[in-house]
């Protein structure tokens, strides 16, 4: 038993995928030549005035409703003042005292069952530009360039309550949050492209303590794995300090992926003077009941409901349904397959097994999967019809993944058709029996397992192409 308890709260920033930025008409498209998606507003030119993008408000309401939040009937934008070269106005337009939404929650699965994680607030804000350090490393760069394409791209910030009790729970929360934002189609949620970013607040305290410990804030984790590793490292570091009788300092730390450690970025005490005040260039925003109701009707089936439905409609185990619905694209892929082929569990086995394995090892997103739903289903049919064996199917699948070719072409070209010719198989079976007299004797002497070995030998000789059922039958007859 550990004598310390971990407390975690996450602050997640999601870029909204509106066509234009939050306060100007520039495109939000990712990438592009530096400083080509800009105008006087998002460059922070003196005198340029922001105009709120209605779609941003709609997306924020949509996300907030999906997260069970209350929508404020009136909210406001504030200026968060600080200096940094990627922030041309020297303030970020955000929402401090009156956010658009608050008081929500989402459910996560833990080893001890379902758990409700509170969401303190959701608010809208603008993104900053991006610094490009000469030589890639801020510490050694001679100079840095600024790209303002991302400046004023809309964000929602979603702040959790400190309800998470382990790095695993934090991961589960982020997984579910990402799925909800994807399902509602308000964000792409690509951590690599920075459209989903997560800061983690973490503290430890003696078990049963009524008061939370001093927290640190972790930044710069750019994958789900990095988040979990950074938190795991930080738990150990903080407990180590307490055990030595030292104190945890209230500071912002950055995750160093290469070294696998967190490092001090700045001490909180010296940093937090943002001098928030209401932005005089933007009117308070009034959101009426009708608008909220209208947005409510656009919310599609959410991951938790979809999971329930897959379990009910297709009799899928909870685990399968959870994995498949954890990503909108994977769920979509699954739907396409089930529409074409009537064996939901077989499809889920292939998706969760072979497909996810190959996608992960090759770092490819399901949207870019070289294997289409149609081709996967065609493969399963070839297997059902006995044209190919199960082990060959796996090989064909890998080939499909590498080349994007359809399975029939691959089977044809590589001569992978299953051998179901009794005469041909009989000869091979005879040969194997001759070469393995000991196994034949063993089987006849009652060792049933010897049969498996003999069948295996035939499969080996035919490089997996023999029809295993037929081979089995032939052996039984001859033995
Ligand atoms: P701050 O004043 O530092 O901005 P907030 O109270 O606004 O802190 O909380 C920011 C985030 O930190 C929230 O996600 C919250 O759940 C989390 N948090 C607050 N206190 C703790 C704590 N002692 N340990 C871990 N997380 C915490
Ligand atoms: Zn602009
Ligand atoms: Mg705060």
């Amino acid at each position: 038993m550990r004598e310390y308890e971990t407390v975690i709260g996450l602050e997640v920033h999601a870029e909204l995928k509106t066509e234009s930025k939050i306060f100007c008409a520039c495109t939000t498209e990712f990438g592009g030549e530096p400083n080509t998606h800009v105008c006087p507003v998002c460059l922070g030119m003196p005198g340029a005035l922001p105009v709120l993008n209605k779609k941003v408000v709609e997306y924020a309401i949509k996300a907030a409703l999906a997260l069970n939040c209350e929508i404020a009937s009136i909210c406001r934008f504030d200026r968060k003042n600080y200096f940094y070269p990627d922030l041309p106005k020297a303030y970020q337009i955000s929402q401090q005292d009156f956010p658009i939404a608050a008081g929500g929650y989402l459910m996560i699965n833990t080893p001890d069952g379902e758990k409700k994680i509170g969401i303190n607030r959701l608010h809208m804000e603008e993104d900053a530009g991006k610094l490009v350090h000469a030589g890639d490393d801020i510490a050694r760069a001679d100079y840095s360039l600024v790209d303002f394409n991302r400046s004023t791209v809309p964000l929602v910030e979603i702040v959790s309550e400190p309800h998470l009790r382990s790095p695993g729970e934090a991961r589960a929360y982020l997984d579910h949050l990402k799925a909800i934002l994807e399902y509602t189609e308000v964000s792409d949620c690509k951590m690599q492209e920075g459209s989903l970013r997560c800061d983690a607040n973490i503290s430890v305290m003696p078990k049963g303590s009524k008061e939370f410990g001093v927290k640190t804030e972790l930044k710069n984790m750019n994958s789900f794995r990095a988040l979990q590793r950074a938190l795991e490292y930080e738990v150990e570091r903080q407990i180590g300090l307490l055990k030595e009788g030292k104190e945890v300092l209230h500071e912002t730390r950055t995750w160093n992926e290469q070294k696998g450690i967190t490092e001090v970025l700045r001490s909180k005490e010296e940093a937090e003077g943002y001098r928030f005040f209401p932005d005089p260039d933007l009117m308070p925003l009034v959101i009426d009941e009708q608008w909220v109701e209208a947005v409510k009707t656009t919310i599609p089936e959410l991951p938790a409901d979809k999971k329930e439905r897959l379990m009910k409609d297709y009799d899928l185990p909870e685990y399968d349904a959870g994995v498949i619905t954890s990503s909108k694209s994977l769920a979509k892929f699954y739907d396409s397959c089930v529409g074409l082929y009537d064996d939901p569990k077989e499809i889920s086995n292939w998706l969760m097994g072979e497909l996810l394995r190959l996608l992960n090892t090759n770092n490819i997103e399901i949207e870019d999967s070289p294997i289409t739903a149609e081709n996967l289903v065609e493969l399963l049919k070839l297997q059902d019809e006995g044209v190919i064996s199960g082990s060959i199917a796996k090989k064909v699948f890998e080939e499909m993944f590498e080349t994007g070719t359809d399975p029939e072409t691959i089977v044809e070209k590589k001569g992978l058709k299953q051998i179901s010719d009794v005469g041909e198989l009989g000869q091979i079976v005879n040969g194997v029996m001759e070469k393995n007299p000991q196994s034949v004797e063993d089987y006849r002497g009652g060792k049933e397992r010897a049969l498996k070995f003999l069948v295996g030998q035939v499969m080996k000789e035919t490089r997996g192409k023999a029809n295993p059922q037929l081979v089995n039958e032939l052996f039984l007859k001859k033995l």
Side-chain angles (χ1 to χ4, degrees):
M1 284 295 276
R2 300 211 74 150
E3 62 262 59
Y4 290 95
E5 197 169 351
T6 303
V7 174
I8 299 169
L10 298 186
E11 295 170 288
V12 173
H13 289 90
E15 247 175 37
L16 299 178
K17 56 176 185 187
T18 52
E19 276 175 44
S20 53
K21 296 183 177 181
I22 178 168
F23 299 123
C24 65
C26 294
T27 177
T28 55
E29 208 177 299
F30 178 76
E33 282 295 300
N35 299 311
T36 52
H37 304 164
V38 293
C39 73
V41 173
C42 53
L43 286 173
M45 296 292 183
L49 289 172
V51 177
L52 179 60
N53 179 346
K54 189 172 178 185
K55 203 78 185 172
V56 170
V57 181
E58 192 183 308
Y59 280 15
I61 296 174
K62 199 169 173 183
L65 289 174
L67 295 168
N68 308 294
C69 292
E70 284 295 326
I71 309 296
S73 54
I74 181 159
C75 65
R76 192 181 76 191
F77 287 96
D78 300 294
R79 291 186 178 179
K80 179 177 180 177
N81 299 278
Y82 66 97
F83 173 77
Y84 205 65
D86 62 8
L87 192 69
K89 300 190 295 297
Y91 61 83
Q92 178 196 27
I93 304 179
S94 180
Q95 297 193 295
Q96 176 68 0
D97 296 332
F98 300 97
I100 185 168
Y105 65 86
L106 64 73
M107 305 301 291
I108 61 166
N109 286 315
T110 76
D112 309 322
E114 266 205 314
K115 186 170 164 184
K116 190 173 180 170
I117 305 299
I119 289 169
N120 177 278
R121 57 188 279 152
L122 176 149
H123 69 251
M124 300 176 278
E125 60 187 27
E126 59 179 343
D127 208 345
K130 201 173 146 190
L131 292 183
V132 183
H133 307 297
D136 264 0
D137 178 356
I138 188 168
R140 272 172 302 183
D142 289 332
Y143 60 89
S144 301
L145 300 169
V146 197
D147 177 4
F148 288 108
N149 283 354
R150 207 182 63 184
S151 169
T152 306
V153 163
L155 299 174
V156 284
E157 176 172 344
I158 300 159
V159 182
S160 86
E161 296 292 354
H163 289 167
L164 301 159
R165 286 294 171 272
S166 69
E169 287 189 13
R171 169 77 200 255
Y173 170 88
L174 193 60
D175 276 336
H176 196 183
L177 178 58
K178 174 177 187 251
I180 289 171
L181 297 175
E182 278 178 358
Y183 273 59
T184 46
E185 292 184 334
V186 299
S187 175
D188 282 332
C189 295
K190 291 195 180 144
M191 265 184 127
Q192 309 81 346
E193 288 184 8
S195 61
L196 189 75
R197 306 194 278 272
C198 176
D199 300 337
N201 298 269
I202 175 166
S203 63
V204 297
M205 60 183 178
K207 219 173 196 135
S209 162
K210 294 237 155 39
E211 215 173 300
F212 288 167
V214 173
K215 70 176 153 77
T216 58
E217 184 173 348
L218 308 183
K219 286 184 181 291
N220 198 30
M221 293 85 64
N222 47 22
S223 69
F224 284 69
R225 216 176 93 75
L227 169 77
Q228 199 165 346
R229 283 179 67 206
L231 287 170
E232 276 161 7
Y233 176 87
E234 193 60 16
V235 171
E236 296 308 320
R237 190 188 70 86
Q238 292 188 9
I239 291 178
L241 284 173
L242 295 186
K243 278 192 168 157
E244 286 173 34
K246 295 180 181 155
E247 47 184 314
V248 174
L249 297 178
H250 186 200
E251 59 197 6
T252 303
R253 302 178 68 87
T254 179
W255 170 241
N256 184 324
E257 178 76 38
Q258 278 79 38
K259 295 190 189 153
I261 60 170
T262 64
E263 296 167 319
V264 192
L265 199 61
R266 57 179 177 262
S267 141
K268 273 280 185 180
E269 274 72 26
E270 72 197 39
E272 307 286 87
Y274 291 125
R275 291 147 42 239
F276 282 100
F277 65 89
D279 193 309
D281 290 340
L282 289 155
M283 301 284 282
L285 175 67
V286 175
I287 298 170
D288 62 30
E289 199 60 38
Q290 277 160 303
W291 193 8
V292 175
E293 286 308 313
V295 175
K296 209 177 258 171
T297 62
T298 68
I299 294 179
E301 184 180 41
L302 294 174
D305 301 322
K306 175 135 200 166
K307 179 178 159 192
E308 288 289 316
R309 192 166 60 77
L310 291 189
M311 289 167 66
K312 226 175 72 208
D313 289 0
Y314 301 132
D315 222 13
L316 276 192
E318 177 169 7
Y319 179 77
D320 294 44
V323 172
I324 287 166
T325 54
S326 67
S327 136
K328 178 167 181 155
S329 330
L330 189 60
K332 229 162 126 183
F333 194 97
Y334 183 78
D335 282 341
S336 312
C337 293
V338 180
L340 298 166
Y341 184 78
D342 192 24
D343 189 343
K345 178 58 183 155
E346 176 77 2
I347 294 169
S348 120
N349 290 345
W350 278 87
L351 291 200
M352 296 197 312
E354 297 302 294
L355 186 62
L356 284 188
R357 182 176 66 79
L358 289 176
L359 288 173
N360 284 339
T361 49
N362 291 286
N363 218 348
I364 297 176
E365 301 286 328
I366 176 90
E367 293 92 325
D368 307 320
S369 166
I371 295 184
T372 62
E374 288 75 16
N375 282 348
L376 172 58
V377 164
E378 201 193 307
L379 179 72
L380 298 183
K381 286 182 180 164
L382 289 176
Q383 198 184 328
D384 287 349
E385 290 158 6
V387 178
I388 54 171
S389 64
S391 57
I392 289 290
K394 287 205 172 138
K395 281 187 207 152
V396 175
F397 191 84
E398 280 179 17
E399 177 92 16
M400 288 161 68
F401 192 88
E402 264 163 45
T403 61
T405 317
D406 67 282
E408 238 181 304
T409 309
I410 293 169
V411 169
E412 203 57 54
K413 235 176 39 194
K414 301 224 149 172
L416 295 173
K417 276 206 177 130
Q418 182 159 263
I419 307 170
S420 298
D421 184 285
V422 179
E424 194 181 343
L425 284 182
Q427 272 179 7
I428 301 169
V429 165
N430 287 341
V432 165
M433 282 173 67
E434 264 164 43
K435 270 182 252 165
N436 299 281
Q438 186 60 48
S439 300
V440 172
E441 210 172 292
D442 284 352
Y443 181 79
R444 289 187 172 137
K447 282 197 190 156
E448 305 237 334
R449 279 182 45 213
L451 177 60
K452 233 187 179 164
F453 172 78
L454 290 167
V455 173
Q457 292 307 301
V458 174
M459 297 311 286
K460 210 161 145 191
E461 280 200 13
T462 57
R463 277 180 292 129
K465 289 193 296 188
N467 179 330
Q469 238 166 322
L470 268 184
V471 173
N472 221 39
E473 282 167 26
L474 283 170
F475 269 120
L476 285 176
K477 235 187 259 170
K478 290 179 197 266
L479 284 168

